Amino acid sequence: MKRVLILGAGFVTGPIVNYLLDKGYQVTVASRTVSKAKKLVGAHPNGQALAYDIEADADGAGLAGLVNQTDLVVSFLPFIHHVSVAKESIAQSKPMVTTSYVSPAMRELDAAAKEAGVIILNEVGVDPGIDHMSAMRIIHRVQNAGGHVDGFMSYCGGLPAPEDNDNPFGYKFSWSPRGVLLAARNSAHYLRDGKKVNVGGEDLFEHYWNLEVEGLGEFEAYPNRDSVPYKELYGIEDTGTMYRGTLRNQGWCDTLDRVAELGFLSQEARPVAGLTYAQFMRNLLPATARDTGDIKADTAAYLEVEPDGAVINNLAWLDLFDETPIEVSKDQISPLDLLTKVMLDRMAYAEDEQDLIILVHHFDASYPDGKKEHITSSLIAYGEPGGYSAMARTVSLPAAIAVDLILRGEITAAGVQLPVTPDLYEPILAGLETLGIECVEKVEPA
Protein backbone atom coordinates (compact mmCIF):
# COMPACT_ATOMS: atom_id res chain seq x y z
CA MET A 1 0.00 0.00 0.00
CA LYS A 2 1.46 3.37 -1.08
CA ARG A 3 1.81 5.99 1.64
CA VAL A 4 1.08 9.74 1.41
CA LEU A 5 2.20 12.32 3.95
CA ILE A 6 0.10 15.49 4.11
CA LEU A 7 1.66 18.36 6.05
CA GLY A 8 -1.00 20.74 7.35
CA ALA A 9 -4.67 20.36 8.22
CA GLY A 10 -6.15 23.72 7.29
CA PHE A 11 -9.26 24.96 5.50
CA VAL A 12 -8.73 23.07 2.24
CA THR A 13 -7.20 19.74 3.30
CA GLY A 14 -10.32 17.62 3.81
CA PRO A 15 -11.13 16.65 0.20
CA ILE A 16 -7.62 15.41 -0.61
CA VAL A 17 -7.57 13.26 2.52
CA ASN A 18 -10.91 11.65 1.65
CA TYR A 19 -10.00 11.22 -2.02
CA LEU A 20 -6.73 9.43 -1.27
CA LEU A 21 -8.20 7.25 1.47
CA ASP A 22 -10.98 6.23 -0.94
CA LYS A 23 -8.29 5.32 -3.51
CA GLY A 24 -6.71 2.91 -1.05
CA TYR A 25 -3.68 4.91 0.03
CA GLN A 26 -2.35 5.10 3.56
CA VAL A 27 -2.63 8.77 4.50
CA THR A 28 -0.79 10.45 7.35
CA VAL A 29 -1.84 13.99 8.21
CA ALA A 30 0.74 15.85 10.30
CA SER A 31 -0.37 19.13 11.81
CA ARG A 32 0.65 21.50 14.57
CA THR A 33 -2.90 21.11 15.89
CA VAL A 34 -3.28 17.34 15.99
CA SER A 35 -7.01 17.57 16.74
CA LYS A 36 -7.55 19.00 13.25
CA ALA A 37 -5.61 16.12 11.72
CA LYS A 38 -7.63 13.58 13.72
CA LYS A 39 -10.87 15.14 12.50
CA LEU A 40 -9.75 14.79 8.89
CA VAL A 41 -8.76 11.12 9.03
CA GLY A 42 -11.57 10.13 11.38
CA ALA A 43 -11.73 6.42 12.15
CA HIS A 44 -10.49 5.29 8.73
CA PRO A 45 -8.13 2.30 9.18
CA ASN A 46 -5.67 3.72 6.64
CA GLY A 47 -5.62 7.19 8.18
CA GLN A 48 -3.16 8.45 10.76
CA ALA A 49 -2.94 11.80 12.56
CA LEU A 50 0.32 13.11 13.99
CA ALA A 51 1.39 16.24 15.82
CA TYR A 52 4.12 18.09 13.92
CA ASP A 53 5.26 21.73 14.03
CA ILE A 54 7.86 22.55 11.40
CA GLU A 55 8.75 25.79 13.17
CA ALA A 56 9.75 23.80 16.26
CA ASP A 57 11.78 21.33 14.20
CA ALA A 58 15.01 23.34 14.23
CA ASP A 59 17.33 20.67 12.86
CA GLY A 60 14.78 19.13 10.49
CA ALA A 61 15.08 15.69 12.09
CA GLY A 62 11.33 15.42 12.58
CA LEU A 63 10.63 16.26 8.94
CA ALA A 64 13.29 13.80 7.77
CA GLY A 65 11.68 11.05 9.82
CA LEU A 66 8.23 11.77 8.40
CA VAL A 67 9.46 11.87 4.81
CA ASN A 68 11.35 8.62 5.35
CA GLN A 69 8.08 6.87 6.20
CA THR A 70 6.17 7.92 3.07
CA ASP A 71 6.14 7.54 -0.71
CA LEU A 72 4.99 11.08 -1.54
CA VAL A 73 4.72 14.37 0.34
CA VAL A 74 1.94 16.96 0.04
CA SER A 75 2.65 20.31 1.64
CA PHE A 76 -0.26 22.48 2.76
CA LEU A 77 2.02 24.35 5.16
CA PRO A 78 2.47 28.13 4.87
CA PHE A 79 4.37 28.83 1.65
CA ILE A 80 7.55 29.88 3.46
CA HIS A 81 8.11 26.23 4.44
CA HIS A 82 7.67 24.58 1.04
CA VAL A 83 11.33 24.85 0.06
CA SER A 84 12.47 23.10 3.25
CA VAL A 85 9.99 20.29 2.58
CA ALA A 86 11.10 20.08 -1.07
CA LYS A 87 14.78 19.85 -0.11
CA GLU A 88 14.08 16.95 2.24
CA SER A 89 11.87 15.25 -0.35
CA ILE A 90 14.61 15.53 -2.97
CA ALA A 91 17.24 14.29 -0.52
CA GLN A 92 15.17 11.15 0.01
CA SER A 93 14.04 10.86 -3.64
CA LYS A 94 10.37 11.33 -2.75
CA PRO A 95 7.99 13.28 -5.03
CA MET A 96 6.21 16.31 -3.59
CA VAL A 97 3.02 18.19 -4.47
CA THR A 98 1.92 21.65 -3.37
CA THR A 99 -0.77 24.07 -4.50
CA SER A 100 1.29 27.22 -3.84
CA TYR A 101 3.10 29.52 -6.27
CA VAL A 102 6.64 28.56 -7.22
CA SER A 103 9.16 30.80 -5.45
CA PRO A 104 12.61 31.63 -6.89
CA ALA A 105 14.14 29.43 -4.18
CA MET A 106 11.91 26.54 -5.29
CA ARG A 107 12.93 27.00 -8.93
CA GLU A 108 16.56 26.65 -7.89
CA LEU A 109 15.83 23.06 -6.85
CA ASP A 110 14.93 21.99 -10.40
CA ALA A 111 18.31 20.46 -11.27
CA ALA A 112 18.53 18.61 -7.95
CA ALA A 113 15.00 17.21 -8.38
CA LYS A 114 15.80 16.03 -11.90
CA GLU A 115 19.00 14.40 -10.70
CA ALA A 116 17.00 12.62 -7.98
CA GLY A 117 14.42 11.61 -10.57
CA VAL A 118 11.46 13.06 -8.68
CA ILE A 119 8.78 15.61 -9.48
CA ILE A 120 8.19 18.64 -7.28
CA LEU A 121 4.76 19.66 -8.62
CA ASN A 122 3.62 23.16 -7.70
CA GLU A 123 0.62 25.38 -8.47
CA VAL A 124 -1.84 22.51 -8.76
CA GLY A 125 -4.79 24.03 -6.92
CA VAL A 126 -7.43 26.33 -8.38
CA ASP A 127 -5.60 29.68 -8.65
CA PRO A 128 -2.88 28.78 -9.29
CA GLY A 129 -3.76 25.44 -10.81
CA ILE A 130 -7.02 24.95 -12.67
CA ASP A 131 -6.49 28.42 -14.12
CA HIS A 132 -3.20 27.29 -15.72
CA MET A 133 -4.54 23.98 -16.91
CA SER A 134 -7.75 25.26 -18.47
CA ALA A 135 -5.88 28.14 -20.12
CA MET A 136 -3.18 25.90 -21.59
CA ARG A 137 -5.73 23.49 -23.02
CA ILE A 138 -7.25 26.33 -25.07
CA ILE A 139 -3.93 27.99 -25.94
CA HIS A 140 -2.49 24.74 -27.27
CA ARG A 141 -5.67 24.06 -29.23
CA VAL A 142 -5.48 27.49 -30.88
CA GLN A 143 -1.79 27.07 -31.65
CA ASN A 144 -2.22 23.53 -32.98
CA ALA A 145 -4.81 24.94 -35.41
CA GLY A 146 -2.27 27.49 -36.65
CA GLY A 147 -3.81 30.32 -34.67
CA HIS A 148 -2.35 33.10 -32.55
CA VAL A 149 -3.45 34.22 -29.09
CA ASP A 150 -3.74 38.01 -29.41
CA GLY A 151 -4.92 38.60 -25.85
CA PHE A 152 -5.59 36.72 -22.63
CA MET A 153 -7.45 37.95 -19.56
CA SER A 154 -8.21 35.71 -16.58
CA TYR A 155 -10.25 36.35 -13.44
CA CYS A 156 -10.74 34.22 -10.33
CA GLY A 157 -12.56 34.75 -7.05
CA GLY A 158 -13.72 32.78 -4.04
CA LEU A 159 -16.91 34.35 -2.70
CA PRO A 160 -20.06 33.55 -0.74
CA ALA A 161 -22.82 31.98 -2.80
CA PRO A 162 -25.43 34.69 -3.58
CA GLU A 163 -27.95 33.33 -1.06
CA ASP A 164 -25.31 33.42 1.71
CA ASN A 165 -23.83 36.79 0.78
CA ASP A 166 -25.20 38.50 3.88
CA ASN A 167 -22.50 40.84 5.17
CA PRO A 168 -21.52 44.32 3.93
CA PHE A 169 -18.08 43.19 2.75
CA GLY A 170 -19.58 40.61 0.38
CA TYR A 171 -16.91 38.19 1.51
CA LYS A 172 -16.35 35.24 3.84
CA PHE A 173 -13.22 33.26 4.54
CA SER A 174 -12.90 29.83 2.95
CA TRP A 175 -9.10 29.84 3.24
CA SER A 176 -6.41 31.54 5.31
CA PRO A 177 -7.74 34.98 6.38
CA ARG A 178 -4.21 36.21 6.90
CA GLY A 179 -3.33 35.11 3.38
CA VAL A 180 -6.23 37.10 1.95
CA LEU A 181 -5.09 40.25 3.72
CA LEU A 182 -1.41 39.75 2.90
CA ALA A 183 -2.34 39.45 -0.78
CA ALA A 184 -3.97 42.87 -0.46
CA ARG A 185 -0.49 44.39 -0.13
CA ASN A 186 0.90 43.00 -3.42
CA SER A 187 1.95 45.19 -6.30
CA ALA A 188 0.76 44.13 -9.74
CA HIS A 189 1.94 44.25 -13.36
CA TYR A 190 0.16 43.33 -16.57
CA LEU A 191 0.00 44.04 -20.31
CA ARG A 192 -2.96 45.71 -21.98
CA ASP A 193 -2.96 46.28 -25.74
CA GLY A 194 0.82 46.11 -25.87
CA LYS A 195 1.44 48.50 -22.98
CA LYS A 196 2.80 47.45 -19.59
CA VAL A 197 0.78 48.63 -16.61
CA ASN A 198 2.46 48.79 -13.20
CA VAL A 199 0.34 49.09 -10.06
CA GLY A 200 1.97 49.74 -6.68
CA GLY A 201 0.69 47.80 -3.67
CA GLU A 202 -0.57 51.03 -2.14
CA ASP A 203 -2.69 51.66 -5.27
CA LEU A 204 -3.96 48.12 -5.83
CA PHE A 205 -7.57 48.76 -4.82
CA GLU A 206 -7.82 51.96 -6.80
CA HIS A 207 -7.10 50.01 -9.96
CA TYR A 208 -10.19 47.94 -10.66
CA TRP A 209 -13.06 47.65 -13.08
CA ASN A 210 -16.41 45.88 -13.18
CA LEU A 211 -16.73 42.52 -14.89
CA GLU A 212 -20.02 40.95 -15.91
CA VAL A 213 -20.15 37.20 -15.25
CA GLU A 214 -22.99 35.53 -17.13
CA GLY A 215 -25.76 34.45 -14.78
CA LEU A 216 -24.17 36.02 -11.69
CA GLY A 217 -24.01 39.76 -12.32
CA GLU A 218 -21.19 42.29 -11.92
CA PHE A 219 -18.05 41.91 -9.84
CA GLU A 220 -15.04 44.08 -9.13
CA ALA A 221 -11.81 42.88 -10.79
CA TYR A 222 -8.34 43.99 -9.76
CA PRO A 223 -4.92 42.70 -10.89
CA ASN A 224 -3.28 39.70 -9.24
CA ARG A 225 0.49 40.03 -8.79
CA ASP A 226 2.73 40.03 -11.87
CA SER A 227 0.93 38.74 -14.97
CA VAL A 228 3.73 39.48 -17.43
CA PRO A 229 5.87 36.34 -16.88
CA TYR A 230 2.88 34.20 -17.82
CA LYS A 231 3.44 35.15 -21.46
CA GLU A 232 6.50 32.94 -21.44
CA LEU A 233 5.03 30.27 -19.18
CA TYR A 234 1.97 29.95 -21.43
CA GLY A 235 4.00 30.09 -24.65
CA ILE A 236 2.33 33.27 -25.97
CA GLU A 237 5.33 35.60 -25.74
CA ASP A 238 4.09 38.02 -28.41
CA THR A 239 0.54 38.44 -27.10
CA GLY A 240 -0.57 42.05 -26.67
CA THR A 241 -2.65 41.52 -23.52
CA MET A 242 -1.78 39.38 -20.51
CA TYR A 243 -3.83 39.97 -17.39
CA ARG A 244 -4.64 37.85 -14.34
CA GLY A 245 -7.10 39.33 -11.87
CA THR A 246 -9.04 38.71 -8.68
CA LEU A 247 -12.84 38.97 -8.42
CA ARG A 248 -14.73 40.40 -5.45
CA ASN A 249 -18.27 41.60 -4.83
CA GLN A 250 -19.16 45.25 -5.30
CA GLY A 251 -17.68 47.63 -2.71
CA TRP A 252 -14.73 45.45 -1.66
CA CYS A 253 -12.04 47.51 -3.37
CA ASP A 254 -13.07 50.86 -1.92
CA THR A 255 -13.27 49.48 1.62
CA LEU A 256 -9.96 47.58 1.40
CA ASP A 257 -8.28 50.65 -0.07
CA ARG A 258 -9.27 52.64 3.02
CA VAL A 259 -8.36 49.75 5.34
CA ALA A 260 -4.87 49.86 3.84
CA GLU A 261 -4.76 53.66 4.15
CA LEU A 262 -5.48 53.35 7.88
CA GLY A 263 -2.46 51.04 8.27
CA PHE A 264 -4.45 47.89 8.98
CA LEU A 265 -2.27 45.86 6.62
CA SER A 266 0.89 46.62 8.60
CA GLN A 267 2.69 43.65 10.17
CA GLU A 268 4.48 45.80 12.75
CA ALA A 269 3.35 44.86 16.26
CA ARG A 270 1.67 47.53 18.39
CA PRO A 271 0.73 47.53 22.08
CA VAL A 272 -2.82 46.33 22.76
CA ALA A 273 -2.78 45.53 26.48
CA GLY A 274 -5.70 47.30 28.13
CA LEU A 275 -6.91 48.90 24.89
CA THR A 276 -10.37 48.87 23.37
CA TYR A 277 -10.92 48.55 19.66
CA ALA A 278 -11.83 52.25 19.49
CA GLN A 279 -8.58 53.18 21.21
CA PHE A 280 -6.58 50.98 18.84
CA MET A 281 -8.31 52.69 15.91
CA ARG A 282 -7.52 56.10 17.33
CA ASN A 283 -3.86 55.15 17.67
CA LEU A 284 -3.78 54.30 13.97
CA LEU A 285 -4.73 57.86 13.08
CA PRO A 286 -2.08 60.60 12.92
CA ALA A 287 -2.21 62.92 15.93
CA THR A 288 -3.41 65.72 13.66
CA ALA A 289 -6.47 63.66 12.69
CA ARG A 290 -7.70 63.17 16.25
CA ASP A 291 -9.76 66.33 16.39
CA THR A 292 -13.27 65.79 17.67
CA GLY A 293 -13.03 62.89 20.10
CA ASP A 294 -15.58 61.05 17.94
CA ILE A 295 -13.53 58.19 16.49
CA LYS A 296 -15.97 57.49 13.66
CA ALA A 297 -16.07 61.15 12.63
CA ASP A 298 -12.30 61.51 12.88
CA THR A 299 -11.72 58.36 10.83
CA ALA A 300 -14.16 59.53 8.16
CA ALA A 301 -12.48 62.94 8.01
CA TYR A 302 -9.02 61.40 7.73
CA LEU A 303 -10.13 59.07 4.96
CA GLU A 304 -12.16 61.82 3.28
CA VAL A 305 -15.29 59.68 3.14
CA GLU A 306 -18.84 60.22 4.32
CA PRO A 307 -19.30 59.47 8.05
CA ASP A 308 -22.44 57.48 7.24
CA GLY A 309 -21.11 55.99 4.00
CA ALA A 310 -20.25 52.41 3.13
CA VAL A 311 -16.60 52.46 4.26
CA ILE A 312 -17.31 53.73 7.77
CA ASN A 313 -20.38 51.52 8.07
CA ASN A 314 -18.29 48.48 7.10
CA LEU A 315 -15.64 49.27 9.73
CA ALA A 316 -18.39 49.82 12.27
CA TRP A 317 -19.93 46.45 11.36
CA LEU A 318 -16.62 44.89 12.41
CA ASP A 319 -17.04 46.68 15.80
CA LEU A 320 -13.77 48.55 15.28
CA PHE A 321 -15.21 51.75 16.75
CA ASP A 322 -16.53 50.01 19.89
CA GLU A 323 -15.19 50.47 23.41
CA THR A 324 -14.94 46.69 23.74
CA PRO A 325 -11.62 45.52 25.25
CA ILE A 326 -9.30 43.72 22.84
CA GLU A 327 -8.88 40.13 23.97
CA VAL A 328 -5.74 38.52 22.56
CA SER A 329 -3.06 36.35 24.15
CA LYS A 330 -0.23 38.83 23.56
CA ASP A 331 0.50 42.35 24.83
CA GLN A 332 1.36 43.38 21.26
CA ILE A 333 -0.22 42.52 17.93
CA SER A 334 0.10 43.84 14.41
CA PRO A 335 -2.84 45.69 12.86
CA LEU A 336 -2.97 43.00 10.16
CA ASP A 337 -3.27 40.19 12.71
CA LEU A 338 -5.89 42.07 14.70
CA LEU A 339 -7.93 42.67 11.55
CA THR A 340 -7.53 39.00 10.65
CA LYS A 341 -8.96 38.03 14.04
CA VAL A 342 -11.86 40.48 13.81
CA MET A 343 -12.77 39.52 10.26
CA LEU A 344 -12.63 35.81 10.96
CA ASP A 345 -14.87 36.28 13.99
CA ARG A 346 -17.48 38.03 11.84
CA MET A 347 -16.90 36.65 8.35
CA ALA A 348 -16.59 32.88 8.67
CA TYR A 349 -18.96 30.51 6.91
CA ALA A 350 -21.68 28.90 8.99
CA GLU A 351 -21.86 25.14 8.65
CA ASP A 352 -24.85 25.18 6.30
CA GLU A 353 -23.61 28.02 4.09
CA GLN A 354 -22.18 27.67 0.59
CA ASP A 355 -19.29 29.40 -1.08
CA LEU A 356 -18.73 30.05 -4.76
CA ILE A 357 -15.66 29.79 -6.98
CA ILE A 358 -15.65 31.81 -10.21
CA LEU A 359 -12.88 31.31 -12.77
CA VAL A 360 -13.25 33.07 -16.11
CA HIS A 361 -10.79 33.23 -19.02
CA HIS A 362 -11.17 35.50 -22.06
CA PHE A 363 -9.04 34.80 -25.15
CA ASP A 364 -8.81 36.72 -28.40
CA ALA A 365 -7.45 34.50 -31.16
CA SER A 366 -6.72 35.05 -34.84
CA TYR A 367 -5.93 32.61 -37.66
CA PRO A 368 -4.01 32.80 -40.97
CA ASP A 369 -7.24 32.79 -42.99
CA GLY A 370 -8.34 36.03 -41.29
CA LYS A 371 -10.80 34.40 -38.91
CA LYS A 372 -10.94 35.89 -35.42
CA GLU A 373 -12.45 34.32 -32.30
CA HIS A 374 -13.33 35.38 -28.81
CA ILE A 375 -13.15 32.34 -26.51
CA THR A 376 -14.56 32.23 -23.00
CA SER A 377 -13.84 29.50 -20.48
CA SER A 378 -15.84 29.57 -17.23
CA LEU A 379 -15.79 27.48 -14.09
CA ILE A 380 -18.61 28.11 -11.62
CA ALA A 381 -18.41 25.85 -8.58
CA TYR A 382 -20.56 25.89 -5.43
CA GLY A 383 -19.77 24.41 -2.05
CA GLU A 384 -21.65 21.38 -0.83
CA PRO A 385 -24.30 22.22 1.80
CA GLY A 386 -23.06 20.64 5.02
CA GLY A 387 -20.02 19.32 3.14
CA TYR A 388 -16.82 20.66 1.63
CA SER A 389 -16.51 24.22 0.41
CA ALA A 390 -15.97 24.95 -3.27
CA MET A 391 -12.62 26.47 -2.28
CA ALA A 392 -11.53 23.27 -0.52
CA ARG A 393 -12.62 21.06 -3.42
CA THR A 394 -11.11 23.16 -6.20
CA VAL A 395 -7.82 23.67 -4.34
CA SER A 396 -7.17 20.19 -3.03
CA LEU A 397 -8.80 17.86 -5.57
CA PRO A 398 -6.45 18.79 -8.45
CA ALA A 399 -3.58 18.04 -6.06
CA ALA A 400 -5.25 14.78 -5.03
CA ILE A 401 -5.62 13.65 -8.64
CA ALA A 402 -1.99 14.58 -9.31
CA VAL A 403 -0.84 12.53 -6.30
CA ASP A 404 -2.75 9.51 -7.56
CA LEU A 405 -1.34 9.89 -11.08
CA ILE A 406 2.23 10.22 -9.79
CA LEU A 407 1.98 7.19 -7.52
CA ARG A 408 0.42 5.10 -10.30
CA GLY A 409 3.28 6.05 -12.62
CA GLU A 410 1.08 7.95 -15.08
CA ILE A 411 2.96 11.20 -14.48
CA THR A 412 6.65 10.60 -15.07
CA ALA A 413 8.09 14.11 -15.36
CA ALA A 414 10.91 15.07 -12.99
CA GLY A 415 12.09 18.42 -11.68
CA VAL A 416 10.26 21.49 -10.39
CA GLN A 417 7.09 21.46 -12.49
CA LEU A 418 3.86 23.36 -13.07
CA PRO A 419 0.82 21.74 -14.75
CA VAL A 420 1.16 23.57 -18.08
CA THR A 421 2.05 20.68 -20.38
CA PRO A 422 -0.47 18.18 -21.80
CA ASP A 423 1.01 15.22 -19.93
CA LEU A 424 0.09 17.00 -16.69
CA TYR A 425 -3.02 19.05 -17.41
CA GLU A 426 -4.95 16.59 -19.58
CA PRO A 427 -5.29 13.76 -17.01
CA ILE A 428 -5.83 16.16 -14.10
CA LEU A 429 -8.60 18.06 -15.91
CA ALA A 430 -10.16 14.76 -16.98
CA GLY A 431 -10.14 13.60 -13.37
CA LEU A 432 -11.73 16.84 -12.21
CA GLU A 433 -14.53 16.49 -14.76
CA THR A 434 -15.50 13.14 -13.25
CA LEU A 435 -15.91 15.00 -9.93
CA GLY A 436 -18.17 17.68 -11.44
CA ILE A 437 -15.46 20.37 -11.65
CA GLU A 438 -15.47 21.44 -15.27
CA CYS A 439 -14.74 24.54 -17.33
CA VAL A 440 -17.41 25.41 -19.90
CA GLU A 441 -16.08 26.89 -23.11
CA LYS A 442 -17.81 29.21 -25.55
CA VAL A 443 -16.41 30.33 -28.93
CA GLU A 444 -17.80 33.39 -30.72
CA PRO A 445 -16.71 35.25 -33.87
CA ALA A 446 -14.74 38.37 -32.98
Side-chain angles (χ1 to χ4, degrees):
M1 181 184 298
K2 292 290 182 74
R3 302 158 299 175
V4 179
L5 169 65
I6 298 177
L7 297 170
F11 277 98
V12 300
T13 315
I16 189 173
V17 173
N18 271 4
Y19 182 94
L20 295 174
L21 287 173
D22 287 347
K23 288 285 185 179
Y25 294 102
Q26 181 182 340
V27 179
T28 297
V29 182
S31 172
R32 183 173 58 186
T33 308
V34 71
S35 60
K36 292 182 179 179
K38 288 179 178 178
K39 184 176 180 180
L40 290 176
V41 300
H44 199 289
N46 293 337
Q48 181 183 21
L50 296 176
Y52 175 68
D53 182 355
I54 194 169
E55 294 181 356
D57 186 14
D59 62 359
L63 178 62
L66 290 171
V67 174
N68 180 256
Q69 297 298 314
T70 195
D71 296 298
L72 183 146
V73 182
V74 179
S75 179
F76 281 122
L77 296 173
F79 73 94
I80 58 172
H81 300 303
H82 291 327
V83 170
S84 297
V85 176
K87 287 180 177 178
E88 187 59 48
S89 298
I90 292 167
Q92 298 195 38
S93 298
K94 305 290 178 69
M96 173 186 160
V97 172
T98 176
T99 60
S100 295
Y101 285 103
V102 171
S103 65
M106 183 69 86
R107 290 188 189 280
E108 291 176 2
L109 301 179
D110 180 57
K114 286 177 178 173
E115 185 175 351
V118 296
I119 188 170
I120 307 296
L121 181 57
N122 302 263
E123 303 192 21
V124 65
V126 58
D127 178 8
I130 297 175
D131 57 345
H132 295 332
M133 295 185 284
S134 56
M136 291 309 303
R137 181 167 61 183
I138 291 174
I139 289 169
H140 284 153
R141 189 169 69 228
V142 170
Q143 292 172 336
N144 291 339
H148 179 268
V149 176
D150 303 324
F152 172 73
M153 301 187 78
S154 177
Y155 308 86
C156 188
L159 301 164
E163 61 270 28
D164 293 315
N165 181 20
D166 56 8
N167 73 55
F169 282 81
Y171 192 80
K172 294 181 181 182
F173 291 103
S174 55
W175 68 292
S176 165
R178 197 172 195 273
V180 172
L181 293 175
L182 282 172
R185 303 167 69 239
N186 291 331
S187 59
H189 313 276
Y190 64 93
L191 283 176
R192 188 77 183 263
D193 299 326
K195 296 180 180 179
K196 189 170 182 179
V197 181
N198 300 308
V199 183
E202 68 279 5
D203 300 321
L204 182 65
F205 292 109
E206 297 175 11
H207 194 94
Y208 71 93
W209 53 76
N210 290 333
L211 179 78
E212 178 77 23
V213 177
E214 186 175 351
L216 292 171
E218 284 198 342
F219 298 85
E220 293 178 349
Y222 59 92
N224 180 12
R225 307 191 191 210
D226 189 355
S227 301
V228 179
Y230 288 88
K231 289 197 308 172
E232 182 177 354
L233 178 67
Y234 288 0
I236 50 174
E237 290 88 343
D238 56 351
T239 190
T241 296
M242 170 58 75
Y243 172 93
R244 300 176 78 250
T246 299
L247 292 180
R248 292 289 184 261
N249 279 307
Q250 298 287 317
W252 173 265
C253 288
D254 194 27
T255 298
L256 264 289
D257 185 46
R258 305 315 170 101
V259 161
E261 188 176 345
L262 283 170
F264 259 117
L265 302 184
S266 168
Q267 297 184 75
E268 183 179 345
R270 288 170 169 259
V272 291
L275 294 183
T276 66
Y277 285 99
Q279 289 169 329
F280 189 90
M281 282 287 292
R282 184 164 296 284
N283 290 342
L284 288 178
L285 297 177
T288 54
R290 306 172 193 172
D291 296 333
T292 69
D294 181 337
I295 182 59
K296 286 179 66 174
D298 288 346
T299 302
Y302 173 69
L303 295 176
E304 299 181 345
V305 298
E306 293 295 325
D308 58 351
V311 170
I312 297 301
N313 287 341
N314 288 354
L315 296 176
W317 181 81
L318 290 174
D319 297 332
L320 291 172
F321 300 122
D322 285 13
E323 295 295 350
T324 305
I326 297 173
E327 295 182 0
V328 292
S329 59
K330 302 176 181 178
D331 290 337
Q332 293 193 339
I333 190 172
S334 71
L336 184 139
D337 285 331
L338 183 63
L339 185 61
T340 296
K341 173 189 180 304
V342 169
M343 283 185 144
L344 188 56
D345 286 346
R346 298 299 306 272
M347 297 164 64
Y349 283 91
E351 193 161 333
D352 60 345
E353 292 183 330
Q354 292 178 272
D355 67 328
L356 166 68
I357 293 291
I358 304 171
L359 172 62
V360 180
H361 297 318
H362 292 291
F363 303 82
D364 289 310
S366 58
Y367 296 85
D369 62 1
K371 182 178 71 173
K372 292 182 179 291
E373 291 178 339
H374 181 74
I375 306 167
T376 303
S377 171
S378 302
L379 169 68
I380 309 297
Y382 289 91
E384 302 166 333
Y388 291 122
S389 68
M391 181 67 76
R393 296 184 75 242
T394 55
V395 169
S396 72
L397 287 176
I401 293 166
V403 167
D404 183 43
L405 291 166
I406 292 167
L407 290 177
R408 287 195 285 114
E410 295 188 27
I411 287 178
T412 58
V416 175
Q417 299 282 345
L418 279 69
V420 293
T421 52
D423 60 315
L424 295 174
Y425 69 70
E426 290 287 11
I428 297 173
L429 288 174
L432 287 170
E433 288 171 7
T434 67
L435 300 173
I437 299 173
E438 184 174 4
C439 297
V440 177
E441 299 175 11
K442 183 167 68 173
V443 181
E444 300 173 302

